[in-house]
């Protein structure tokens, strides 16, 4: 079967750094992406990794290790507005995009 | 440019009825995918259309169907509604069916009573 595992909830303090992990088991793999969704809003695209390594986009970075079927999203200098759910997603060999169940990020002042 | 537009935003139906949801992708985007989102289950893939052809289908019963028109607009239909079909239905579009840069609509919140 296909699955993506990520923690259901993570709590961090404003100004700190937090890492959200994602492990995947899919039939084929073309890339790992991350999406952010605020309550009542639509998921919005954050980042995409097709190759091993770290991709940085402002305060957000995403890492991929294809050999470990593992990736993470790193959020730095946390702000209250970063409180949201974060989803990892994998494109499998059939070109389907499979999403994880999401990680709820709580930020404390 | 206009984003992905889903209509209606909210819908209340009774069990046994059928419903049709609409999605207008970003102009120029030919790939449209549909997802069901429920608390604790994340986004579950329903189906994906590219240039009017269904390329992929998720593990949902045949009551769930969809189609795409020549202008890339897409509709999904759910027949014989069940209480468990209550969910947020999201549509996403992209230039091509890859993992980069999906743009989601705000969704249709369907409540079945």
């Amino acid at each position: 079967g296909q699955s993506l595992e990520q923690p259901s909830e993570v709590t961090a303090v404003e100004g700190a750094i937090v890492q959200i992990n994602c492990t995947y088991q899919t039939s084929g793999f073309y890339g790992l992406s991350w999406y952010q969704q605020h309550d009542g809003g639509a998921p919005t695209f954050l980042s995409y990794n097709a190759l091993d390594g770290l991709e940085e986009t402002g305060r957000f970075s995403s890492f991929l290790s294809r050999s470990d079927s593992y990736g993470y999203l790193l959020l730095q200098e946390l702000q209250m507005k970063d409180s949201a759910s974060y989803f990892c997603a994998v494109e499998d060999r059939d070109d389907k995009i499979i999403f994880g169940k999401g990680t709820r990020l709580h930020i404390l002042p | 440019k206009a984003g992905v537009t889903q209509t209606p935003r909210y819908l209340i139906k009774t069990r046994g009825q059928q419903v049709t949801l609409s999605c207008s992708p970003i102009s120029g985007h030919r790939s449209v995918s549909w997802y069901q989102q429920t608390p604790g289950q994340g986004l579950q893939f329903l189906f994906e259309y590219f240039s009017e052809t269904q390329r992929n289908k998720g593990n949902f019963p045949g009551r769930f169907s969809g189609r795409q028109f020549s202008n890339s607009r897409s509709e999904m239909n759910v027949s014989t509604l069940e209480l468990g079909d209550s969910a947020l239905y999201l549509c996403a579009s992209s230039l091509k069916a890859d993992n980069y840069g999906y743009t989601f609509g705000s969704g249709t919140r369907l409540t079945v009573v």
Side-chain angles (χ1 to χ4, degrees):
Chain A
Q2 304 195 95
S3 67
L4 286 84
E5 298 293 331
Q6 52 181 129
S8 59
E9 290 186 86
V10 171
T11 300
V13 177
E14 189 177 15
I17 299 172
V18 72
Q19 178 174 312
I20 300 173
N21 299 319
C22 174
T23 56
Y24 58 88
Q25 182 178 0
T26 56
S27 55
F29 175 85
Y30 290 112
L32 179 73
S33 59
W34 290 90
Y35 288 79
Q36 177 193 62
Q37 185 180 30
H38 287 99
D39 285 346
T44 55
F45 173 80
L46 290 177
S47 69
Y48 174 67
N49 294 68
L51 302 175
D52 286 358
L54 190 68
E55 295 281 343
E56 297 182 67
T57 309
R59 295 187 297 114
F60 293 1
S61 303
S62 56
F63 172 83
L64 175 65
S65 169
R66 295 173 68 118
S67 61
D68 295 323
S69 298
Y70 163 77
Y72 66 72
L73 179 69
L74 191 73
L75 294 81
Q76 304 181 72
E77 301 172 20
L78 284 171
Q79 301 176 10
M80 297 304 293
K81 67 178 182 179
D82 297 330
S83 294
S85 292
Y86 293 84
F87 296 87
C88 58
V90 167
E91 180 184 2
D92 69 7
R93 68 182 178 199
D94 297 323
D95 292 335
K96 293 197 307 291
I97 310 298
I98 309 298
F99 282 79
K101 293 186 178 182
T103 298
R104 181 82 178 198
L105 174 61
H106 302 280
I107 299 176
L108 304 176
Chain B
K1 60 181 178 182
V4 178
T5 303
Q6 290 189 249
T7 57
R9 286 281 280 131
Y10 302 93
L11 206 49
I12 299 176
K13 291 285 190 178
T14 56
R15 278 182 301 173
Q17 285 188 309
Q18 75 165 24
V19 67
T20 300
L21 311 182
S22 178
C23 171
S24 294
I26 290 174
S27 178
H29 284 196
R30 297 164 65 189
S31 171
V32 173
S33 295
W34 288 89
Y35 290 84
Q36 181 195 66
Q37 186 174 29
T38 54
Q41 290 301 311
L43 284 78
Q44 304 219 284
F45 175 77
L46 281 157
F47 25 65
E48 179 230 330
Y49 288 88
F50 185 79
S51 294
E52 301 180 67
T53 301
Q54 186 181 87
R55 284 168 37 119
N56 281 299
K57 192 178 192 315
N59 297 322
F60 279 81
R63 301 184 296 107
F64 291 80
S65 63
R67 59 179 175 169
Q68 186 179 34
F69 302 95
S70 59
N71 62 359
S72 293
R73 190 177 72 85
S74 177
E75 289 181 347
M76 68 163 280
N77 184 77
V78 188
S79 61
T80 320
L81 284 166
E82 300 176 0
L83 295 179
D85 296 333
S86 295
L88 179 67
Y89 290 87
L90 291 161
C91 150
S93 78
S94 67
L95 274 172
K96 58 177 182 176
D98 61 17
N99 203 354
Y100 190 85
Y102 254 26
T103 302
F104 279 87
S106 297
T108 294
R109 173 76 61 184
L110 172 64
T111 302
V112 182
V113 297

